């Protein structure tokens, strides 16, 4: 079938797509966040089960952080290697504020290992950014199972902002370890339906908290016992904001060798990746050199449908694509970052997911500007999603 005789094909594809969306929750796994469903989820969690949960960043796959059996399920459901540690989610219970003393009381961290500088910086960051999309990596208490931390002497903790997540943690009465609810290395889920698509055949329940407000995983910051700060993963909270709040310089985190405990996520050869090959262009379509444009056109020659993710204004990109690929159908997803930065972050993973599910045979993305926290965080995911894979 060539690029232009696609009407019948399009109709078939549309029907398949509609059936797909309708079939998505035939398994009946998605629950509205009622008091009853949250009680049920809390019971499952206390009984050592795993549950899909919403947060303001991405959906998580939650389990009791102190239950090794439940943590084992998280790793096996996600097909995640055990050298990749988890983030533990906490919330305030009753009148007690979430602070270092509470984390120590919950036996998540060991405050005795903190210098005064580390305490002061952690306090300031917690006070300003929790609840919210900031994960702090802190010296751990021996009670936290090694499986949760990949044997590292530290534990990653965050207090989510999403109301439903916080109510669920309170009802469960245990801290919840929750990695993103996708199969390892794949695109992070930003809706309850995405979780079902990723893990629907393996988990008993997903709580629907609506589409994620931020759409990208939390910023991860390591606080060493001496108080030195390292950014391990960029997110919605910028390095500048963290520096202002902590009063200290933030260094870019130490790297990792493959197959060793991961201090920073996605350093493995591929992460956040669609199943189709995603090609990252060297610049926006408009700014490609003649030679780069020739190579782009050449790569599209043998296919009839191309998927294209753009961070520029849609109308301009559409015209340029028509001119460059006159005999191809192009499925264009536009996320104009400079005019709508929040929406670009919020819908980044879902656009990638939708291109992956489309009939496009090959995917391309423009790079995005990295001069804002969200742009920097999106580019980090884009770079990892487009790393060439061997299988
Ligand atoms: O926004 C988020 O953080 C989401 C939601 C569900 O809260 N969670 C999430 O989890 O993104 P996950 O598992 O996809 O990413 C956690 C990353 C790990 O890949 C790891 O590199 C880093 O956090 N991490 C966890 N514990 C660590 C530790 N002890 N030291 C260094 N890095 C750690
Ligand atoms: Mg993840």
């Amino acid at each position: 079938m060539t690029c232009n005789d696609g009407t019948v094909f399009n109709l078939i594809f549309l029907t398949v797509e509609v059936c797909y969306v309708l079939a998505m929750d035939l398994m009946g796994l998605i629950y509205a966040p009622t008091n009853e469903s949250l009680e049920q989820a809390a019971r499952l969690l206390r009984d050592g089960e795993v549950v899909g949960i919403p947060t303001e960043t991405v959906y998580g796959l939650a389990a009791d952080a102190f239950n090794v059996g439940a943590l084992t399920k998280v790793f096996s459901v996600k097909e995640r290697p055990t050298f990749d540690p988890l983030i533990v989610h906490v919330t305030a219970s009753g009148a007690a504020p979430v602070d270092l003393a509470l984390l120590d009381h919950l036996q998540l961290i060991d405050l005795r290992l903190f210098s005064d500088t580390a305490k002061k910086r952690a306090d300031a960051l917690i006070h300003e950014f929790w609840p919210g999309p900031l994960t702090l990596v802190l010296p751990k208490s021996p009670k936290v199972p090694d499986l949760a931390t990949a044997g590292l002497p530290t534990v990653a903790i965050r207090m989510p902002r999403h109301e439903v997540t916080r109510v669920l943690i309170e009802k469960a009465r245990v801290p919840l370890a929750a990695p993103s609810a996708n199969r390892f290395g794949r695109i992070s889920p930003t809706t309850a339906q995405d979780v079902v698509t990723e893990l629907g055949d393996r988990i008993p329940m997903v709580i629907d908290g609506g589409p994620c407000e931020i759409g990208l995983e939390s910023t991860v910051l390591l606080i060493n016992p001496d108080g030195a700060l390292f950014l391990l993963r960029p997110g919605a909270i910028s390095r500048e904001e963290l520096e202002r709040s902590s009063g200290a310089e933030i260094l870019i985190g130490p790297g990792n060798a493959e197959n060793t405990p991961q201090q920073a996520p996605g350093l493995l050869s591929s992460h956040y990746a669609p199943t189709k090959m995603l090609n990252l262009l060297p610049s926006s379509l408009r700014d490609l050199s003649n030679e780069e444009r020739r190579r782009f056109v050449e790569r599209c020659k043998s296919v009839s449908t191309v998927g294209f993710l753009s961070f520029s204004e849609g109308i301009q990109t559409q015209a340029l694509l028509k001119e460059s690929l006159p005999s191809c159908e192009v499925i264009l997803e536009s996320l104009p970052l400079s005019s709508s930065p929040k929406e670009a972050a919020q819908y980044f993973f879902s656009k990638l997911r939708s291109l992956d599910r489309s009939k496009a045979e090959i995917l391309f993305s423009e790079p995005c500007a990295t001069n804002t926290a969200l742009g920097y965080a999106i580019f980090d995911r884009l770079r990892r999603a487009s790393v060439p894979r061997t299988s």
Side-chain angles (χ1 to χ4, degrees):
M1 192 173 295
T2 65
C3 305
N4 293 327
D5 65 7
T7 317
V8 176
F9 187 67
N10 277 341
L11 206 64
I12 296 171
F13 192 79
L14 192 71
T15 316
V16 170
E17 180 83 349
V18 169
C19 292
Y20 175 84
V21 172
L22 288 178
M24 200 93 83
D25 195 38
L26 278 187
M27 286 180 269
L29 298 179
I30 299 181
Y31 289 71
T34 59
N35 188 48
E36 204 178 36
S37 67
L38 292 174
E39 289 289 353
Q40 187 184 341
R43 252 191 326 272
L44 284 168
L45 289 163
R46 274 197 305 276
D47 288 346
E49 260 307 331
V50 294
V51 173
I53 63 163
T55 83
E56 72 279 21
T57 57
V58 299
Y59 272 71
L61 179 66
D64 176 351
F66 290 127
N67 181 331
V68 174
L71 297 175
T72 305
K73 275 188 199 158
V74 168
F75 283 96
S76 83
V77 162
K78 273 190 60 108
E79 300 168 34
R80 177 176 173 124
T82 51
F83 55 73
D84 196 4
L86 307 175
I87 294 174
V88 177
H89 298 67
V90 294
T91 193
S93 158
V98 173
D99 56 14
L100 289 177
L102 179 74
L103 299 181
D104 188 70
H105 174 75
L106 292 173
Q107 291 186 271
L108 287 170
I109 62 169
D110 188 345
L111 250 190
R112 291 168 307 177
L113 301 175
F114 287 62
S115 65
D116 286 345
T117 310
K119 273 188 207 158
K120 206 172 101 216
R121 290 176 181 173
D123 273 335
L125 291 162
I126 288 174
H127 184 73
E128 178 153 3
F129 296 110
W130 282 8
L134 175 65
T135 294
L136 296 179
V137 177
L138 302 165
K140 88 175 189 84
S141 141
K143 196 186 164 197
V144 180
D146 280 342
L147 189 54
T149 66
L152 291 164
T154 50
V155 58
I157 305 177
R158 118 177 161 83
M159 178 183 182
R161 184 161 72 207
H162 200 300
E163 194 54 32
V164 171
T165 332
R166 285 161 57 192
V167 170
L168 179 60
I169 302 170
E170 249 195 290
K171 284 185 185 295
R173 299 195 299 272
V174 285
L176 297 180
S180 50
N182 50 280
R183 275 167 290 157
F184 184 68
R186 295 290 174 207
I187 302 171
S188 297
T190 52
T191 64
Q193 281 78 13
D194 292 345
V195 180
V196 173
T197 308
E198 285 285 323
L199 308 173
D201 55 341
R202 311 161 185 200
I203 59 176
M205 184 176 199
V206 182
I207 298 290
D208 190 351
C212 297
E213 174 205 335
I214 295 174
L216 298 173
E217 303 85 348
S218 58
T219 303
V220 180
L221 183 74
L222 167 68
I223 305 187
N224 272 352
D226 65 1
L229 305 178
F230 295 89
L231 184 66
L232 300 184
R233 177 173 71 185
I237 297 175
S238 71
R239 187 176 168 189
E240 292 70 28
E241 286 176 278
L242 297 171
E243 291 191 331
R244 184 189 36 71
S245 170
S246 63
E249 188 192 356
I250 308 245
L251 307 164
I252 298 294
N256 292 99
E258 297 239 328
N259 302 333
T260 59
Q262 294 292 296
Q263 300 255 359
L267 288 179
L268 302 164
S269 51
S270 165
H271 220 80
Y272 315 115
T275 51
K276 289 171 189 162
M277 179 62 80
L278 174 68
N279 299 274
L280 182 57
L281 293 173
S283 72
S284 68
L285 195 56
R286 196 190 45 205
D287 295 330
L288 288 181
S289 68
N290 288 340
E291 177 52 23
E292 286 163 348
R293 186 181 304 253
R294 192 195 61 72
R295 259 186 270 139
F296 165 60
V297 171
E298 184 66 31
R299 291 220 57 190
C300 298
K301 241 187 182 149
S302 57
V303 299
S304 41
T305 311
V306 171
F308 197 92
L309 183 62
S310 166
F311 295 94
S312 322
E313 293 302 327
I315 295 178
Q316 267 181 26
T317 317
Q318 185 95 55
L320 278 168
L321 282 167
K322 241 198 166 93
E323 187 190 311
S324 308
L325 306 172
S327 60
C328 252
E329 182 175 346
V330 181
I331 301 171
L332 171 64
E333 294 287 5
S334 292
L335 296 167
L337 181 64
S338 56
S339 55
S340 319
K342 283 199 167 148
E343 286 77 4
Q346 189 178 17
Y347 296 114
F348 169 68
F349 281 132
S350 65
K351 297 287 184 196
L352 209 52
R353 196 174 275 279
S354 128
L355 284 177
D356 201 26
R357 225 174 46 214
S358 76
K359 64 176 175 170
E361 296 131 273
I362 186 167
L363 308 182
F364 286 88
S365 174
E366 292 180 326
C368 64
T370 55
N371 56 347
T372 60
L374 290 176
Y376 185 59
I378 293 173
F379 187 71
D380 170 74
R381 277 52 170 190
L382 203 50
R383 203 165 45 81
R384 299 184 200 287
S386 59
V387 166
R389 277 160 285 153
T390 44
S391 60

